[in-house]
Amino acid sequence: TTKPLDFCAMATFGRKKGAISSRSDKKDRDSLKKLLEEEAERERFAEEFEEKEAKAEKRRLREAEEDEREQKEQRKAAEAQKGKANPVCFLDIEVHAPAGYGERHGRVEASGRLEIELFADVVPRTAENFRCLCTGEKGRDLSFKG
């Protein structure tokens, strides 16, 4: 009597029963490796995102503190200016015609004084800076010329 053939034994060609063929085993290992790499990359991206968000939050808090400090200074300067008259600066302006032949400067066509009221009660720092520019108080390098 002959034994019936064991198809499972014939299909594996001498390999252990239940063993996965080497081609599909390699494919599965590569797929698993790729999957693990992708997961590690996602984790890395998540950590980078959290770090960026933490830095951005710190920067926002620092900017908010600076804005609050600046507003306090402005309020303090405005309180000090309250009741005082706003400073007035002036600029003397001349408009010259084009210089003719042999002339160094053209003749004066218009001249006048431009008076500027600085609203120190509203924008104290800007008003003080502009006043210093007009008077040359902070040095000759920091003044209007011409």
Side-chain angles (χ1 to χ4, degrees):
T1 62
T2 60
K3 280 179 151 180
L5 294 173
D6 189 5
F7 288 107
C8 189
M10 286 183 68
T12 58
F13 296 103
R15 287 186 225 117
K16 295 179 184 175
K17 285 187 178 180
I20 301 172
S21 68
S22 62
R23 189 177 287 173
S24 66
D25 186 31
K26 184 178 180 187
K27 191 188 238 184
D28 288 344
R29 277 187 271 138
D30 289 344
S31 296
L32 180 62
K33 185 177 178 180
K34 187 174 180 180
L35 186 67
L36 292 174
E37 288 173 357
E38 288 174 356
E39 186 176 342
E41 189 174 1
R42 278 194 301 275
E43 291 287 329
R44 199 170 44 250
F45 283 145
E47 289 173 6
E48 288 176 11
F49 179 76
E50 288 173 1
E51 289 174 9
K52 286 179 183 177
E53 284 296 310
K55 287 179 183 178
E57 183 64 27
K58 285 180 183 179
R59 187 178 65 244
R60 282 191 291 269
L61 288 174
R62 188 173 54 247
E63 288 173 355
E65 289 172 358
E66 289 174 4
D67 288 345
E68 188 176 322
R69 193 174 331 120
E70 196 171 300
Q71 286 176 358
K72 275 184 182 178
E73 288 176 14
Q74 287 178 353
R75 275 188 246 122
K76 201 182 277 186
E79 288 294 321
Q81 186 65 28
K82 234 178 197 155
K84 295 181 183 177
N86 284 331
V88 177
C89 294
F90 64 89
L91 300 172
D92 288 326
I93 299 174
E94 290 184 350
V95 178
H96 291 270
Y101 181 72
E103 293 180 322
R104 188 168 170 186
H105 298 286
R107 64 183 166 78
V108 175
E109 296 217 352
S111 67
R113 178 173 280 193
L114 182 65
E115 291 187 11
I116 304 168
E117 181 181 1
L118 306 175
F119 295 100
D121 55 342
V122 179
V123 284
R125 186 183 296 169
T126 305
E128 178 63 18
N129 288 341
F130 188 77
R131 188 190 64 75
C132 290
L133 281 173
C134 289
T135 60
E137 192 175 298
K138 300 285 183 176
R140 297 311 285 166
D141 293 341
L142 294 173
S143 63
F144 291 114
K145 298 177 185 176

